[in-house]
Amino acid sequence: MSQANWTLDELKSRLKSRPEVKGWILVREHTDRRERYFLQDGAHVGLDQDRSIGMLDHRLRLMVKLPSKPGRQGEISKKLFMTAPLDPQLESAIQAAQQTDFEAWELPKEMPREVPSRKSCDPGVQEDLERVLTETTREIESTVAELKTKRPNVAFSSSELFVSVHERELHLSSGLVHRSSQSRLYLESAYGASVGTRDEYLHYQWAVGRGDLSVKKILTEAAERAEMISAVEKPEAGSYSVLVDAEVLSTVFHNQITQLTGANKYLGLPSAEVGSPWVSAAQNGQADLLNVWLDPELEWGADTCALNDQGLLQK
């Protein structure tokens, strides 16, 4: 019986010893994250919480043999916990995978000869996460002070800032190992009217590179829209043209974006073929055309990577 606090080598050894296992993909990710929470403190920004978080996650994709079904295999994805005994976790994963039925496929036997470099981790964040956190905090404080003078009808309510570095290891049963890293930054801020209504406007942004995180823009737009909320009136019924920003479009297209991945097609989930329309009206010239695609080479992109989870070059 295995004990808790097992090692990576022990996990690999257990998987290799199970005759039912056809192959496996393990993603091991270490996260170093700083979190700061700010609240209004009189005329200033007050630091409510300051956290330092370290995590080590193991995500296993397990493929098992189905002897009675040639050309087929069972699959399951499972998060493994180092604080729990290993053997029961693997046993439950194997049993669950044996109840599934997918088309069989093989993992690559060797690493691609030339793995391209991708800009997915901001060097400044990776080298000195604490410095980036401190500098961004100062920018939040100075922007709030500036907006207090420029927009006296609204008041700062709260803000959250997360800065993290994710060190990722990809281990395949075929022996391939690939390491990569990604930086992530998150900022949100809420503003409300100084007097009267309690309505607030919350604005936020995710970024991979520090240069893409616009502190002043996020806080200013939150203040501007909070001011608009305080003066809003119910419109008369009618037909109007509506302007939407990137945040709205991101929400509208979020579910459709996942349909562009090959994994959705393989798993029998909703998927879209290249060139297929999402909105039928666009085919009849009744709507403006908008092309959407995934680009794994985009600098500082949320899903920018060199290899996918199967160890193949991401294209």
Side-chain angles (χ1 to χ4, degrees):
M1 183 71 176
S2 65
Q3 302 298 315
N5 299 316
W6 40 267
T7 66
L8 176 62
D9 287 340
E10 288 175 331
L11 170 59
K12 289 184 176 182
S13 177
R14 292 289 200 287
L15 289 169
K16 290 178 181 178
S17 69
R18 297 299 298 258
E20 314 97 311
V21 174
K22 177 176 180 285
W24 46 265
I25 299 169
L26 176 69
V27 177
R28 192 170 190 253
E29 184 172 310
H30 177 267
T31 301
D32 183 12
R33 185 168 73 218
R34 302 290 189 278
E35 300 179 356
R36 283 187 178 176
Y37 299 82
F38 307 92
L39 292 174
Q40 183 181 19
D41 183 12
H44 306 285
V45 176
L47 180 60
D48 180 55
Q49 299 178 48
D50 190 356
R51 301 178 181 175
S52 178
I53 300 172
M55 296 183 295
L56 181 60
D57 289 331
H58 294 80
R59 298 188 299 277
L60 176 68
R61 183 175 178 183
L62 186 68
M63 289 76 80
V64 299
K65 303 170 185 175
L66 299 177
S68 62
K69 298 179 180 180
R72 311 295 292 181
Q73 67 184 31
E75 286 187 33
I76 193 72
S77 294
K78 182 180 179 66
K79 184 174 181 179
L80 301 178
F81 297 92
M82 298 187 72
T83 53
L86 179 58
D87 287 339
Q89 296 184 76
L90 293 182
E91 187 63 38
S92 66
I94 291 172
Q95 291 181 7
Q98 289 173 331
Q99 303 305 312
T100 66
D101 185 355
F102 294 96
E103 181 180 351
W105 53 278
E106 301 297 330
L107 289 168
K109 300 298 183 183
E110 58 184 25
M111 174 82 73
R113 292 184 178 179
E114 296 184 6
V115 178
S117 175
R118 298 279 186 252
K119 290 187 177 181
S120 59
C121 191
D122 188 314
V125 177
Q126 190 171 33
E127 292 168 6
D128 196 341
L129 190 151
E130 194 68 35
R131 177 183 58 79
V132 173
L133 186 75
T134 300
E135 291 177 352
T136 308
T137 296
R138 290 172 182 163
E139 189 173 357
I140 292 172
E141 294 171 339
S142 63
T143 302
V144 170
E146 181 182 337
L147 290 171
K148 183 175 179 60
T149 302
K150 290 185 176 181
R151 296 189 175 276
N153 294 328
V154 294
F156 171 79
S157 176
S158 64
S159 191
E160 297 181 6
L161 173 64
F162 302 163
V163 183
S164 61
V165 174
H166 303 254
E167 302 291 348
R168 186 173 181 270
E169 298 176 7
L170 174 66
H171 298 262
L172 305 185
S173 55
S174 59
L176 184 151
V177 177
H178 176 67
R179 293 175 174 83
S180 60
S181 57
Q182 184 187 58
S183 53
R184 297 177 193 170
L185 302 98
Y186 173 78
L187 173 65
E188 73 172 43
S189 185
Y191 267 81
S194 299
V195 294
T197 178
R198 295 184 178 181
D199 291 337
E200 292 184 344
Y201 186 86
L202 177 68
H203 206 22
Y204 65 90
Q205 181 189 357
W206 281 98
V208 172
R210 175 60 183 91
D212 291 330
L213 187 72
S214 180
V215 175
K216 189 168 185 177
K217 181 175 181 291
I218 292 298
L219 271 69
T220 300
E221 289 183 354
E224 289 175 347
R225 296 177 188 187
E227 198 169 43
M228 293 177 186
I229 290 176
S230 64
V232 71
E233 296 180 357
K234 185 177 180 180
E236 295 182 5
S239 179
Y240 303 92
S241 295
V242 178
L243 295 177
V244 296
D245 64 9
E247 183 179 336
V248 175
L249 288 176
S250 176
T251 302
V252 170
F253 288 124
H254 175 74
N255 290 333
Q256 279 72 25
I257 291 296
T258 61
Q259 296 183 22
L260 296 178
T261 64
N264 267 38
K265 185 175 181 179
Y266 173 75
L267 295 172
L269 300 173
S271 61
E273 298 292 339
V274 175
S276 62
W278 279 330
V279 182
S280 58
Q283 293 178 294
N284 304 323
Q286 299 173 6
D288 295 331
L289 291 177
L290 179 65
N291 292 324
V292 180
W293 67 95
L294 300 181
D295 184 0
E297 300 180 11
L298 182 68
E299 293 186 0
W300 317 122
D303 289 321
T304 296
C305 61
L307 301 183
N308 63 19
D309 283 351
Q310 288 78 48
L312 302 173
L313 287 175
Q314 186 67 66
K315 300 179 181 179

